[in-house]
Amino acid sequence: MSLLVKICGLSTPETLETALEAGADMVGFVFFPPSPRHLSLEAGRDLGRQVKRRALKVALTVDADDATLDNIMDALAPDILQLHGKESVARLRDIKQRFGRPVMKAVPVATSVDLAVLPGYAAIADRILFDARAPKDATRPGGLGEPFDWHLLENLDLRLPYMVSGGLDAGNVAEALRVTGAGGVDVSSGVESAPGVKDSEMIKAFIRAARATQELSVR
């Protein structure tokens, strides 16, 4: 199974084009006002049109209500809904039924105790995204540039595709994949020159590093 690479928090036509040309499998768009990567619906509409099926469009939301999700569906027409808040298993089920899109649930990780929620989410979600748990005083749940202890995912028994995020960059993505056995990686702050400002060269370097890991594993 081929490795999935997701570049999240894209906000300009130029960096989106870089990610697409470099071979990103998923491109993520953030709809969460506290984030420096937050998009207006109109910006999301324009960027979504630019993708033209060259990658899967992922809409990242945090505890969004139905009205907000309706607007995002209309503007972006995402292929996947990434739920990055404290959404319950019941809420996941409701969203899948109402919007008819695959759901990727972000699970914040700091200790092994955080993995206890997996059976419930795995029964509904189409994919799990493991991210570093944000500090208690953080204003947003992700995109903070800090990794978690990847060894917590060693020997993980999860019959569901999963990705890893949190503090990844071109220098450590190979190790993250080696330790976790994840089928995909998701990067945001690790390809930025400043919060919310994507860097085209960093995007290309990250995708190259991730793909090189995949090539080594095939040999």
Side-chain angles (χ1 to χ4, degrees):
M1 188 173 174
S2 60
L3 177 72
L4 294 177
V5 179
K6 175 171 174 274
I7 307 296
C8 196
L10 292 157
S11 59
T12 68
E14 295 77 17
T15 52
L16 172 57
E17 196 61 31
T18 294
L20 293 167
E21 290 185 354
D25 302 289
M26 299 178 178
V27 285
F29 305 101
V30 176
F31 298 93
F32 182 57
S35 171
R37 304 163 189 97
H38 171 65
L39 291 178
S40 67
L41 291 171
E42 201 51 46
R45 189 184 304 276
D46 291 341
L47 292 172
R49 286 173 178 156
Q50 184 181 339
V51 177
K52 295 178 181 175
R53 297 188 180 278
R54 290 179 285 171
L56 294 174
K57 295 178 290 186
V58 182
L60 186 158
T61 63
V62 179
D63 299 311
D65 59 21
D66 285 350
T68 299
L69 291 171
D70 272 327
N71 289 334
I72 292 168
M73 290 294 295
D74 178 66
L76 181 67
D79 300 292
I80 300 171
L81 293 172
Q82 179 177 331
L83 308 179
H84 219 99
K86 296 179 181 179
E87 297 90 356
S88 66
V89 173
R91 179 62 177 148
L92 257 67
R93 184 183 292 109
D94 290 345
I95 288 173
K96 280 194 69 170
Q97 290 176 348
R98 178 181 173 98
F99 297 100
R101 290 291 191 277
V103 167
M104 176 159 59
K105 181 67 183 87
V107 173
V109 179
T111 71
S112 59
V113 174
D114 293 318
L115 303 180
V117 299
L118 282 177
Y121 284 138
I124 304 298
D126 298 278
R127 187 178 300 275
I128 297 293
L129 174 67
F130 293 104
D131 195 7
R133 179 175 288 283
K136 289 184 178 180
D137 59 350
T139 58
R140 58 188 195 275
L144 302 172
E146 291 297 325
F148 63 93
D149 181 1
W150 301 320
H151 291 282
L152 292 170
L153 301 186
E154 282 185 311
N155 306 313
L156 181 67
D157 183 19
L158 184 64
R159 296 178 185 177
L160 196 69
Y162 64 94
M163 303 177 76
V164 172
S165 63
L168 296 181
D169 56 36
N172 66 11
V173 65
E175 181 68 3
L177 286 166
R178 184 189 70 78
V179 173
T180 65
V185 287
D186 182 359
V187 68
S188 186
S189 60
V191 291
E192 291 180 345
S193 57
V197 182
K198 291 290 185 287
D199 182 286
S200 289
E201 292 306 313
M202 294 172 76
I203 290 172
K204 290 187 278 189
F206 181 85
I207 295 175
R208 277 198 306 269
R211 296 289 182 223
T213 303
Q214 183 180 10
E215 290 166 8
L216 286 173
S217 66
V218 170
R219 290 176 188 171

